[in-house]
Amino acid sequence: MDKRSRNFGSEYYLCVLKMETNRYFLELAYKGTRYHGWQVQQNAHSVQAELENALSTLLSKPTSIVGSGRTDTGVHAVQQFAHFDAMEELSEPEFLKKLNGILPKDIAVYSLKRVKNEAHSRFDAIWRSYVYRVILRKDPFEQHAAWTMYKMPNVDLMNKAAALMLGHEDFQCFSKVHTEVNNFNCKIKEAYWEQNGALLLFHITANRFLRGMVRAIVGTLMEVGHEKISLDDFRQILESKNRNAAKASAPAKGLYLCRITYPEDLYL
């Protein structure tokens, strides 16, 4: 290779390095019934894999995404965010129409927003909110979307127990075991139950959640509501740092990731 050829190769390489990609936040929702959670796994069907396959097809190149957080098997999302990079500038209406045409019916994309190149859908999230649905009667429309329960729990007691979590930090007692995390600390901003006719809704917002945390909380609060454990028992469970001290997890079908909050200055 002569000197001129070597210089051309170097200039081309530097040119490629200088080409900037565009980072986008994609807002989506999904029904988690058919999926083994959000994250890509070997020999398992995941939401992330479906979305990456659809994006790769649409952009004609392998495209990976990073979600705002992981949802477990069977858990739904009313609002989830993921970020990805693309060389080209994308038109939101056209892109969403094409992407929704590729995705299966139980995954839908709602918005596409250009963000700063250093923006991160997971690490920049300030708050995450979940809702858990409990139906208090047989309901043909809710049987696959909520936990069916025929005995009315004491909602006032459950709200008193939920309030105890607001001043707590370590939630190891509600985390799945063998979880690779640096710590079990979470800051819960709100946690309360409300009743709407035959429907009970548990609302919880925190800066982060541990694996299986919300379902374990709901299952344990239900034990309080049915007066199988006392408020003092619940307080002791919080302080135990022991998953075996808490009660069985609520079914996945009633849990919905419903809101992710980001700083406004991420968006361009």
Side-chain angles (χ1 to χ4, degrees), residues 217-230:
I217 288 174
V218 171
T220 307
L221 287 175
M222 275 297 170
E223 295 289 290
V224 175
H226 288 127
E227 301 185 37
K228 294 181 179 179
I229 62 173
S230 66

Side-chain angles (χ1 to χ4, degrees), residues 14-157:
L14 289 173
C15 181
V16 170
L17 285 180
K18 290 179 181 178
M19 291 176 66
E20 288 192 3
T21 58
N22 300 311
R23 177 155 292 185
Y24 293 93
F25 269 23
L26 192 65
E27 181 187 5
L28 65 145
Y30 51 85
K31 182 180 180 182
T33 306
R34 295 194 307 122
Y35 301 98
H36 285 75
W38 164 264
Q39 189 177 19
V40 170
Q41 306 165 57
Q42 288 187 345
N43 304 316
H45 194 200
S46 72
V47 178
Q48 184 182 10
E50 285 282 0
L51 195 56
E52 288 184 344
N53 289 338
L55 282 169
S56 298
T57 298
L58 186 54
L59 297 174
S60 300
K61 60 176 292 187
T63 304
S64 61
I65 60 172
V66 177
S68 65
R70 304 171 185 176
T71 51
D72 292 334
T73 299
V75 175
H76 318 290
V78 176
Q79 184 184 66
Q80 167 73 295
F81 282 92
H83 78 250
F84 69 95
D85 296 329
M87 298 299 296
E88 59 269 53
E89 291 190 13
L90 304 175
S91 169
E92 183 180 34
E94 180 183 2
F95 186 82
L96 294 180
K97 181 180 179 180
K98 290 180 178 179
L99 187 57
N100 275 318
I102 299 172
L103 288 167
K105 293 181 179 179
D106 50 10
I107 302 176
V109 289
Y110 294 148
S111 71
L112 178 76
K113 302 299 181 187
R114 177 83 188 279
V115 294
K116 296 177 179 178
N117 280 5
E118 65 273 17
H120 198 287
S121 61
R122 179 184 174 190
F123 298 137
D124 286 326
I126 302 172
W127 301 106
R128 296 167 171 86
S129 300
Y130 281 87
V131 169
Y132 194 93
R133 299 166 62 89
V134 176
I135 190 72
L136 297 169
R137 65 185 180 192
K138 184 178 179 180
D139 189 320
F141 304 104
E142 291 282 358
Q143 60 179 332
H144 299 300
W147 183 10
T148 302
M149 185 176 297
Y150 296 105
K151 182 181 179 182
M152 177 70 184
N154 187 322
V155 177
D156 183 55
L157 276 179

Side-chain angles (χ1 to χ4, degrees), residues 161-169 171 187-191 205 238:
L164 296 175
M165 297 189 296
L166 300 184
H168 202 73
E169 291 185 357
F171 290 92
K187 181 181 179 181
I188 296 181
K189 182 181 181 181
E190 63 177 12
T205 298
L238 282 174

Side-chain angles (χ1 to χ4, degrees), residues 199-213:
L199 190 65
L200 286 180
L201 300 173
F202 177 62
H203 303 268
I204 185 166
T205 298
N207 64 333
R208 68 188 285 244
F209 288 94
L210 306 168
R211 286 190 61 203
M213 178 176 167

